[in-house]
């Protein structure tokens, strides 16, 4: 094992290459060769329609492996083919990806081998669409692409030019070198946090006023859940400590549900002890009622709510930091975002801090997307464009990995 990255330096990257049925499928043979030349092991999955454009024999010969074509394999076998394939692979790459494949992935259909593999695979996925420009521009396709992007799929958008159908516009499969580069990067990512313990907090905390009411905030937990899912997809062992949210737990992640800041503090202290990476994405309530009433407070009683500050969990975690641990904080701001975030990072002592402008519509609390500014390890501000929370998570983990590679290790 490579001590720095946790990745195995010897094993070849394993790529599942899905080929779907558009004219660009004829380029798949060249793509397999290029990937093999770069040292990858390639297992091809051909859809039924793709077989009209490229033969299984050509791909089997170039990849050195029989091509997978149906859910049940060509021979009766005691194992389940799609599960064997996803266990084997570091990354799933689909090139060309037709409009039909994008739609089936986006809707979670599993009606052939390739779509079943997509649904069962929790590692990095790259799709390189190719289709007629009108199909690419169609609102449905746009929506499907956006949906896949939000889920962390890398979409390599098609290039412009003359197409086989005689139309001109965006729809051509991008040059194969680009697909190869994305495929290898994705395969590397799949094990870049192999076995590392990553702890993430997410969501709001609810501080009880009485048995029926609480002080809370509008955090949905999406950002923290996206980070947990992305870290798991990179091979990390993830603990997700989360407040009350309406989200399904990411696959393969240990979840610790909590309610109050006090509970979150206890759970985070415990989990962070063995962690190499700690990400405090939760919107911890700053204050809690000084005392929660045991019985419901009536509207007819005069009532003043006394609040006391909650402990700063992030500051406590950085004060108790173990050697080599990387700690990431967040900041929710409504004004002077960069200055306040830089000061907050210093005050809290974390390595990286992602600042959100929560007053921007379509970003921050409750939104699918996020526009953040990274305050890096040296306190420099780096504004990132508006992107999905999963994309923010991937980019953040790339930066965390850079810091881990510099550190001395646990
Ligand atoms: N945080 C924490 N414990 C708290 C409050 C916040 O660990 N009691 C963490 C958050 O998870 C986040 C970071 O601190 O990673 C910044 O949160 P934010 O609410 O922006 O900052 P505050 O500490 O509340 O500072 P201020 O109220 O001055 O903005």
């Amino acid at each position: 094992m490579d001590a720095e990255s946790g990745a195995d330096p010897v094993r070849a990257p394993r790529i599942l290459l899905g080929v779907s049925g558009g004219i660009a499928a004829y380029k798949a043979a060249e793509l397999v060769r290029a990937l093999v030349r770069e040292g990858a092991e390639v297992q091809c999955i051909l859809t039924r329609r793709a077989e009209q454009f490229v033969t299984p024999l050509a791909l089997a010969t170039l990849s050195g492996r029989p091509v997978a074509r149906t859910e049940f394999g060509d021979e009766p076998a005691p194992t389940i083919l799609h599960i064997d394939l996803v266990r084997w692979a570091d990354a799933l790459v689909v090139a060309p990806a037709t409009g039909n494949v994008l739609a089936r992935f986006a809707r979670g259909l599993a009606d052939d081998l390739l779509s079943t593999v997509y649904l069962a695979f929790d590692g990095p996925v790259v799709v390189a669409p190719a289709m007629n420009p009108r199909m690419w521009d169609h609102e449905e396709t746009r929506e499907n692409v956006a949906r896949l992007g939000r889920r962390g799929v890398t979409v390599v958008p098609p290039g412009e030019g003359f197409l086989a159908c005689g139309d001109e516009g965006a729809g051509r499969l991008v040059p194969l070198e680009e697909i190869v580069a994305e495929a290898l990067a994705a395969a590397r990512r799949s094990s870049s946090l192999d076995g590392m313990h990553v702890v993430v907090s997410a969501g709001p905390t609810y501080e009880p006023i009485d048995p029926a009411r609480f002080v809370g905030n509008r955090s949905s937990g999406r950002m923290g859940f996206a980070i947990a899912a992305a870290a798991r997809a990179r091979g990390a062992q993830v603990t997700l400590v989360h407040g009350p949210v309406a989200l399904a737990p990411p696959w393969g992640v240990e979840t610790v549900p909590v309610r109050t800041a006090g509970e979150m503090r206890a759970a985070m202290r415990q989990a962070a002890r063995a962690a190499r990476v700690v990400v405090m994405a939760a919107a911890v309530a700053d204050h809690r009622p000084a005392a929660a009433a045991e019985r419901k407070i009536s509207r007819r009683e005069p009532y003043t709510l006394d609040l006391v500050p909650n402990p700063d969990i992030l500051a406590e975690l950085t004060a108790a930091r173990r050697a080599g641990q990387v700690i990431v904080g967040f900041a929710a701001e409504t004004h002077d975002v960069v200055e306040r975030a830089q000061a907050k990072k210093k005050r809290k002592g974390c390595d990286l801090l992602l600042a959100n402008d929560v007053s921007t519509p379509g970003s921050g609390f409750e939104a699918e997307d996020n526009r953040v500014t990274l305050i890096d390890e040296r306190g420099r501000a780096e504004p990132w464009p508006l992107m999905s929370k999963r994309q923010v998570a991937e980019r953040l983990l790339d930066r965390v990995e850079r810091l881990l590679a510099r550190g001395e290790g646990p």
Side-chain angles (χ1 to χ4, degrees):
M1 290 285 271
D2 174 339
E4 261 186 8
S5 64
D8 183 339
V10 204
R11 185 166 73 62
R14 294 172 178 169
I15 293 170
L16 271 180
L17 176 64
V19 180
S20 60
I23 176 64
Y26 85 91
K27 296 181 184 168
E30 201 55 59
L31 180 57
V32 173
R33 269 180 70 101
L35 285 166
V36 169
R37 239 190 337 255
E38 292 296 328
E41 283 181 43
V42 182
Q43 166 68 60
C44 296
I45 301 176
L46 262 187
T47 65
R48 202 166 37 81
R49 287 186 188 162
E51 287 188 22
Q52 305 289 321
F53 298 98
V54 60
T55 71
L57 183 59
L59 298 187
T61 310
L62 291 167
S63 65
R65 290 168 175 271
V67 169
R69 299 152 71 190
T70 67
E71 287 105 305
F72 307 105
D74 294 330
E75 299 290 331
T79 55
I80 302 168
L81 181 60
H82 62 275
I83 299 299
D84 287 347
L85 293 176
V86 298
R87 281 197 185 130
W88 173 85
D90 295 320
L92 169 64
V93 178
V94 184
T98 59
N100 181 35
V101 159
L102 298 178
R104 297 210 327 275
F105 283 11
R107 308 291 145 168
L109 295 183
D111 56 358
D112 69 352
L113 179 61
L114 183 55
S115 51
T116 308
V117 160
Y118 169 75
L119 214 52
F121 188 56
D122 70 327
V125 179
V126 176
V127 295
M131 67 197 76
N132 172 279
R134 272 177 270 210
M135 291 169 73
W136 173 246
D137 280 334
H138 197 287
E139 213 179 307
E140 293 287 354
T141 307
R142 292 285 137 146
E143 263 174 38
N144 292 334
V145 166
R147 236 177 131 124
L148 293 174
R150 280 201 294 276
R151 273 192 228 134
V153 172
T154 302
V155 181
V156 189
E160 305 242 347
F162 276 110
L163 281 101
C165 53
D167 281 355
E168 199 184 345
R172 280 168 68 104
L173 190 69
V174 285
L176 298 183
E177 310 84 78
E178 267 183 57
I179 303 172
V180 170
E182 290 292 350
L184 294 174
R188 237 189 341 267
R189 250 194 345 257
S190 76
S191 58
S192 54
L193 291 174
D194 237 359
M196 245 183 233
H197 190 191
V198 173
V199 176
V200 183
S201 73
T205 65
Y206 286 180
E207 313 297 325
I209 297 173
D210 67 15
R213 308 179 180 94
F214 58 82
V215 176
N217 61 65
R218 287 169 47 208
S219 165
S220 66
R222 283 203 187 97
M223 191 62 244
F225 272 58
I227 295 168
R232 172 69 187 82
R234 291 176 185 226
Q237 181 208 328
V238 183
T239 304
L240 175 60
V241 176
H242 66 84
V245 292
L247 298 172
W251 188 88
V253 165
E254 182 204 4
T255 50
V256 182
V258 297
R259 209 169 163 80
T260 62
E263 289 169 16
M264 182 167 279
R265 178 189 189 208
M268 285 304 286
R269 282 170 133 189
Q270 166 74 24
R273 257 181 229 146
R276 188 74 199 280
V277 179
V278 178
V279 182
M280 213 39 224
V284 186
D286 283 337
H287 298 89
R288 66 175 187 280
E294 273 174 26
R295 300 202 347 223
K296 191 179 161 215
I297 300 157
S298 159
R299 183 168 55 83
R300 282 161 294 145
E301 299 167 43
Y303 183 69
T304 315
L305 190 57
D306 273 331
L307 296 174
V308 293
N310 271 325
D312 188 330
I313 304 171
L314 177 58
E316 287 182 0
L317 293 173
T318 61
R321 172 204 306 264
R322 54 198 279 258
Q325 197 170 49
V326 172
I327 303 184
V328 180
F330 273 74
E333 308 292 351
T334 52
H335 58 284
D336 303 327
V337 176
V338 169
E339 298 69 25
R340 292 176 60 90
Q342 283 169 327
K344 202 169 271 184
K345 175 177 176 288
K346 247 194 211 145
R347 206 165 61 234
K348 304 213 178 208
C350 51
D351 302 289
L352 300 170
L353 185 134
L354 279 184
N356 264 316
D357 184 345
V358 289
S359 63
T360 319
S363 174
F365 282 163
E366 294 170 332
E368 294 276 355
D369 294 334
N370 221 0
R371 189 191 300 280
V372 296
T373 300
L374 175 80
I375 310 297
D376 76 5
E377 62 279 13
R378 289 164 61 186
R380 290 170 303 198
E382 193 182 296
W384 290 358
L386 182 69
M387 48 188 151
S388 71
K389 288 186 174 173
R390 179 64 186 248
Q391 284 169 320
V392 172
E394 297 291 355
R395 210 152 150 174
L396 173 66
L397 290 179
D398 288 346
R399 301 300 284 259
V400 166
E401 284 182 20
R402 251 161 65 177
L403 289 185
L404 286 171
R406 279 193 228 152
E408 66 261 42

